[in-house]
Amino acid sequence: MIFSCGNGGSAAIANHLVCDCMKGVRSNSTLRPRVHSLSSTVETITAIGNDIGYQDVFSFQLESLARSGDVLVAISSSGSSPNIVNVLEMARSMSVSTIAMTGFDGGRASELADVSLHVASQNYGLVEDVHQSLMHILAQYLRHSHLEDGAILGQIKF
């Protein structure tokens, strides 16, 4: 299972990852990815935020849903958002592998993640654009490495 999360524009990238993995990766490949964005359900996020605290909106969900061997992709321009830091710490305690996409100085997220994809820029727009590109690259890499027919490499049938 792949989980993703982020705040603001990073939440949009986390949600887009679900689409690109579920539909794009699966197209003409042997993979049947299970992907869930922890940023996608406003009802759950606001209930946790209101009753427990916004810093736990992702970690609370991950604790309920993830299992050892799953993967978390945490996206944060600053790398310092408390809810991103908390979900990465929760993932580590559960033996969930982690990828952090960060910008600016990388923040705590880049230190906590198993794999840090850091964009050394102070510009939110640029950081988010590169994160979006990295998300597409990861999804396409997964798809291309599991194609049923290598002759269709580079093609996507939607």
Side-chain angles (χ1 to χ4, degrees):
M1 185 76 173
I2 300 169
F3 295 95
S4 61
C5 63
N7 297 296
S10 297
I13 297 167
N15 292 347
H16 192 135
L17 176 72
V18 174
C19 175
D20 281 12
C21 284
M22 183 87 57
K23 174 64 174 78
V25 168
R26 185 173 171 177
S27 296
N28 301 312
S29 80
T30 56
L31 291 175
R32 300 297 179 258
R34 295 178 310 126
V35 189
H36 177 73
S37 174
L38 304 173
S39 301
S40 66
T41 310
V42 69
E43 302 85 354
T44 302
I45 292 168
T46 56
I48 296 167
N50 187 60
D51 298 342
I52 299 167
Y54 194 73
Q55 74 280 357
D56 293 319
V57 294
F58 302 137
S59 58
F60 188 87
Q61 292 180 74
L62 190 78
E63 185 177 29
S64 295
L65 299 171
R67 303 291 176 260
S68 176
D70 289 344
V71 176
L72 169 70
V73 179
I75 306 163
S76 172
S77 292
S78 73
S80 299
S81 301
N83 57 4
I84 295 295
V85 170
N86 285 354
V87 74
L88 287 164
E89 289 173 341
M90 177 61 70
R92 177 177 281 178
S93 75
M94 297 176 68
S95 299
V96 170
S97 298
T98 56
I99 299 171
M101 293 186 190
T102 63
F104 296 82
D105 69 359
R108 182 89 172 105
S110 65
E111 299 168 7
L112 288 169
D114 298 315
V115 176
S116 176
L117 301 175
H118 178 246
V119 180
S121 174
Q122 304 296 312
N123 182 298
Y124 278 101
L126 180 61
V127 170
E128 289 176 355
D129 287 347
V130 175
H131 287 170
Q132 183 76 14
S133 295
L134 288 170
M135 183 274 301
H136 281 134
I137 290 165
L138 289 171
Q140 285 302 305
Y141 173 79
L142 285 173
R143 177 178 178 267
H144 287 184
S145 64
H146 291 84
L147 285 176
E148 294 171 354
D149 178 3
I152 62 172
L153 186 64
Q155 298 177 16
I156 298 179
K157 295 181 181 177
F158 288 113

